[in-house]
Every structure is written in C-alpha cells, then in structure tokens.
Amino acid sequence: MTSPHAESFRDLLERRLSRRAVVRGAAGLAVLAATPLRATPRSAPPLAFKPIAPSRADTVIVPEGYRADVVLRWGDALFAGTESIDPETVAAGALLAPDAAAHQARQVGASCDGIGFFALADDRAIVCVNHETPEPDAMFPGWSEARQSRLLREFAAANSQCVRYMQASVGVSIAEIEWAGRWRLRADSPFNRRITAHTPMQLAGPAARHALFGARPGGAPVTIDGTFNNCAGGTTPWGTYLTAEENTDDFFGNLEQAALAPELARAYQRFGARRRDSVYRWEAADPRFDVARTPGEPLKFGWIVEIDPRDAAQPIKKRTALGRFKHEGATTTLAHDGRVAAYMGDDEAFEYFYKFVTAERFDPEQPERNRDLLDSGTLYVAKFFADGTGEWLPLVWHEHAALTPEGGFDSQGDVVVRCREAADAVGATPLDRPEDVAVNPLNGRAYLSCTMNPQRTDAATARAHADASSPRSPNPSGHVIELIEDGDDAAATRFRWEVFVLAGDPNAGLLTALPRTEGLPLPPDATYYAGFADAAELSGFANPDNLGFDRYGNLWIVTDGAQPNGNNNGCFACPTTGEWRGAARQLMSGPIGAEICGCEITPDGRTIFLSVQHPGAGGSAAAPRSHWPDGGAAAPRDGLIAIYPEDAARKLGS
C-alpha cells in the first residue's frame, strides 16, 4: 500500500535534483584549503583538501599537508602547581587514591564533547570543553569486573572515592590557549576554571521558584550544586557559553523506592530517573543521587546552562525558559528584528526539535543588558508536514487548550519542567534522535542532525511509523534535515524543510532518482546526499552528531556510531550549494572506539577544533582497547585536537 506521504517526500528529492542546475556556483574559498578555488563548475570540489580514506587504526588521521595537534587531554593540569595525570599509572589504581578527586577538579575533565571558542586576541583564545560522562571502565581497575559480576553498587560503596572522582571529571573545562607555532594550553591563565558536579549555580527563568524544587512562594531562586552529562553546547552573541545537560537521568537511582507526591510523579513520566540502580552508582556514596531520599533533585538537571567564560564572578545560570529535556546543544542566531533564536534537539528516539525566541532584542552596545536575555521569550516545538512545510508550535501556558490547568499545567513553570509532555500535547513531530543544529551564516538555513533510530518502523502507530521527515524503517544511519524559515527569519513561526542527507554507504544504496510509484518507508540502506550522484566522489558516513559551519557555507559533520564497513568515526565536510552540494569529503578519522565531537572553527577558517571522546570504548583499565594519544602502555585519554594546514598563518583574525 502506498503511503500518503510517499509522493510528497519523493517530490522533495526530485525537486532537489532538478534544482541543482539553478543553484550552481562556487561555495567560495574552502575552509582549511591549501589553495584557493576558482569558480569553474565541477572542475574541482569547493573543499580543496584531498579526502582521506576511512580507517580502523588507533590514531588520528588527516590529509597530507595538514596537522592534528592534541591541545588538551583528560588529566592535563589547568593550573600551575597542579600535577597532570600519569596515564601509565591508571591501570594500577592511581585514580582510586584519596586525593585523586581533588586533583581532577584542577585538571581537564574526561569525556570531552562540545566546544565553545572565544577569541581574546590574534594569537590567544578561551575554549570551553564539555565533559559529558564519567568513564569508570577506563578509570578504575575493578570497575569493569564488578559491572560484569553485577556488583557495582558494592564496589562504589566500598570505594566512595571513585564517586568523588567521577563527580570531578564531568562538567566543563575553561582554558586559555595560545598559538606559538601550534595551539597549546596556558596553564597559568586567570581564565582557567573547572566546573564540576559540585559547582554552585542558579535556576533562572519561569521555573526558578517552582515548588517542585523545594522553593517557597516569593522566596529566592533555587541554588543548585553542579552540572553533568554536558553534551554539545553553543555560544551567544554577547560572548557566553551555553552547555547542554543531556542524559541526566543516568545519574539518579532508586526511583521505584521513592514516595512521590502526585505532582512529582507526573514530572517524572516523560523524563525521569533509573528505577533501580543508576548507571554510575553515585547514590551508593552520595544520597543526593538517591531519588528516594531527594525526590526533587533530578528535576534540577536537564537544562541549558549559561556560563561567562571571561568572568568567573558572574553566576552560572540554568535557563529554564528553554525547557527541560535531553538537550544536545543550543545554537543561537539573530532574527531580523535583533531578537535571539536558539535551536535545540532532544536527543532520544521519537523526541522533538525546539526553538526559543527571546522577548527582547540583543543589545551589542550595552552587553550587560543581555545577561538575562534567555529568561523570557517563547519556546516552540516543530511540526513537520509531508508537503515540505512546517510550523513552530508555541509551548506557552494558556496558548493551547492542553497547556492549561484543565490539561494539568498550572503555570509556565509547569510547561518548561514537563516540556516533553507539553510537546506531546500540542502535536509535535517525533524524530530520530534530533541532536545538534548548525545555521548557515550565508543564508540563515538551519541544519538538524538526526543520529539514528533502530526503533523506527512501518507500523501505523502514532510515534513509531516512518514519515516524510523520518523516511527510513529502521533508521540505522541517521539523516540531516535542512530547514528554511519563512522570510529567512529565525523568529518566523512557519518554515520549509527537506531531507539534505540520508547517511550511510553510498555504494550500497545511493538514491539518484525516486520513482513516484514507490512508497515509504525507505529501506534502511537507502542513502541520499542532497542529490549528488557520483558515489566515487563521496565519503560516506553514518550517525551524524555535532554540526558546524564555516564562513563559506560548508557544513561540517562529526559522527557518533557505527560507520560503513566498520570504520572509525570521523569528521566530514559537505558543501550546501552549487554543483558539489551534498558531496561529503572526510577530513579526519579518529582512534579506535572514539566518538568525534565539537566542530568549532576559528574566525579565519584555518583551524577546526574537535573533541575525541572515549577512545578505546569497550575496554577497561586492565585491558584497554586504545592507547591514544600517548601511546605505549598509557591509558586512553579524551582530548581536544586542532586541525590546520601545515602552512597556516599565525593570526586568528580574518
């Protein structure tokens, strides 16, 4: 039976093929390109580096003529007088020492993820690096064995210092780096700072005084200890860093033993905590993570957190107006009238794509007026229609019949705390793990990565069936959606959209034309690279995660998950206009077991910063699968790397 959505989806792809003749033209100088490109259609790709071959090696690989330097590594000292980790002592239990956690709180954290880049001068900058999760298998001898024996709770209780160490390993590292023939850390910088699971911060916005957090009517906003599971992020026009709290439910356990009041129980329905043991067993050594003892504590996490990297005296604030869900990141852009829009994905199967638009305008002349800009505005969730259009549905108390006391929402605080439930109620479109968003600086188009969804089926259920915006069943390789706001205005309430990439191996199922007679779902090995039909010129990839743009309109994509033919994760660049639209090319391959994250490019377009996360995943302290980046017998370490041409200029500025 032909799906009612099939023809419109195929029309989108066929329209893209025919439109290629209209949008021909060069994408401009390629970022990280060794030589300029002349605008000769199809004479040369707009990304002039020679793409690398996929790899399974335990190293970072970049094209000939380029360098990849390790700038920061897990355990590097951020402050003078603090020692760095000796990676060759990890297997012997060095991180179980009583003072190891105190050292980690002054060192670069683990599980490097999202990145923010803030230029200070031509040869100096601040980087903010997220630290998503602890990596106890690689950190502590005995952890992996206890997990396999189902004795983790006992291990964590007997070795409470490992919980303190993990709490110090997450959060954010803020570090000054400098260019001196290569990028390197300034260990004596006053900007260097660690933010961990114990750093004080505040709730701000409509949920700041919500009774669910123990606040009293008319009382002060709630103070919170820490942040964790910091995934991707974003930067604001006023120079602050937005770090995103994602799978925070993994850190709390014992929900089934908690005696929850009805309003608390409802708050846990769509984003809760582990019913029994948490993933990391922190509750065995810290009662704050035992829901039966502190039933409101998990609700303090799952937010976008704003940090001023230049001023440690400014309070760190969780911006509740942007909603509580599994935030991948927050990508900001300016609307035509000067207001700020922030795009956000909720990284779980069948969750939603959000946008927040501030009530007030960005003021470039008086930066202090922007400090709390993210506390008031309109939160929206996306509805995709099969004809290639879409609508931003407001998640505003009393704006929809379901978002009222009769629907169970007594305030805007309720709406943002129970954001997923509110999005369900207004009829948002469930997607395939919507993650990061990047905005093209040349035309304002937004690109959303949907990493994967093996649960997507052709069953006619409300949430699981394939549709035009999630056309494969199942979806093992993910896809990227291109979104065009009405009037190219980020504050618009309607948009157009199309699938930009159906990721996967183009040699296994490249789509060049789609007959109208075939319906959805598409098979799991179907691929589509914006209509680019020459598989020999493509670097196929799967499971797109973080995204970024250079100033020439090229989309940069890093991956997290199984790659074609069992190769390692990497970084890919993809033109979005012209004859080479969709022609992905691989710049970098990571080490064994690593996810590649980040994707921050310097203003001059000559350096791209990436995070190498959990190299050697699947190994243990006693039996590591990787020794990157130190080699020898060293434990694997997460790191921030800088990739640039060997002839790169000294200066940051354009």
Side-chain angles (χ1 to χ4, degrees), residues 199-203 208 213 220-225 297 300:
T199 304
M201 49 195 68
Q202 299 174 3
L203 278 181
F213 306 121
V222 173
T223 298
I224 293 171
D225 286 336
E297 190 71 14
K300 300 175 183 177

Side-chain angles (χ1 to χ4, degrees), residues 210-256:
H210 203 294
L212 288 173
F213 306 121
R216 296 180 179 178
V222 173
T223 298
I224 293 171
D225 286 336
T227 183
F228 41 81
N229 216 110
N230 303 85
C231 196
T235 59
T236 66
W238 51 94
T240 59
Y241 182 57
L242 303 178
T243 181
E245 296 178 333
E246 193 187 36
N247 298 303
T248 57
D249 54 321
D250 287 344
F251 293 76
F252 294 90
N254 211 19
L255 177 62
E256 68 179 6

Side-chain angles (χ1 to χ4, degrees), residues 299-375:
L299 304 182
K300 300 175 183 177
F301 301 88
W303 305 100
I304 292 294
V305 185
E306 185 173 11
I307 303 166
D308 189 334
R310 295 177 176 86
D311 188 354
Q314 289 298 321
I316 300 170
K317 294 186 178 182
K318 299 195 177 188
R319 301 297 185 182
T320 65
L322 280 66
R324 179 176 183 261
F325 46 88
K326 295 189 176 183
H327 286 278
E328 173 70 21
T331 300
T332 65
T333 189
L334 289 178
H336 288 177
D337 63 3
R339 290 181 294 159
V340 178
Y343 294 103
M344 302 169 288
D346 185 352
D347 184 10
E348 194 162 53
F350 305 114
E351 291 302 337
Y352 305 122
F353 180 31
Y354 296 86
K355 178 175 74 172
F356 178 80
V357 180
T358 60
E360 302 298 327
R361 298 175 183 179
F362 165 61
D363 189 340
E365 304 299 327
Q366 303 181 71
E368 68 279 358
R369 295 187 62 181
N370 304 311
R371 289 202 182 277
D372 295 317
L373 205 57
L374 296 176
D375 281 347

Side-chain angles (χ1 to χ4, degrees), residues 401-428:
L403 306 182
T404 61
E406 292 74 20
F409 294 91
D410 291 328
S411 66
Q412 186 63 21
D414 278 352
V415 171
V416 296
V417 169
R418 291 161 35 214
C419 193
R420 286 178 165 181
E421 188 181 340
D424 294 341
V426 301

Side-chain angles (χ1 to χ4, degrees), residues 448-526:
L448 167 68
S449 61
C450 295
T451 290
M452 65 179 300
N453 187 359
Q455 302 172 61
R456 180 70 69 175
T457 74
D458 57 359
T461 60
R463 297 179 63 81
H465 69 86
D467 58 29
S469 57
S470 300
R472 288 190 295 202
S473 172
N475 183 6
S477 301
H479 60 289
V480 178
I481 296 173
E482 181 181 57
L483 186 145
I484 307 164
E485 299 274 23
D486 274 7
D488 297 322
D489 185 2
T493 57
R494 297 193 67 85
F495 57 86
R496 292 177 290 123
W497 67 271
E498 57 184 282
V499 172
F500 180 67
V501 166
L502 289 174
D505 185 353
N507 293 293
L510 178 67
L511 297 180
T512 58
L514 297 170
R516 293 175 181 269
T517 56
E518 295 181 12
L520 297 179
L522 298 175
D525 62 348

Side-chain angles (χ1 to χ4, degrees), residues 69 344 521 547:
D69 292 334
M344 302 169 288
L547 305 176

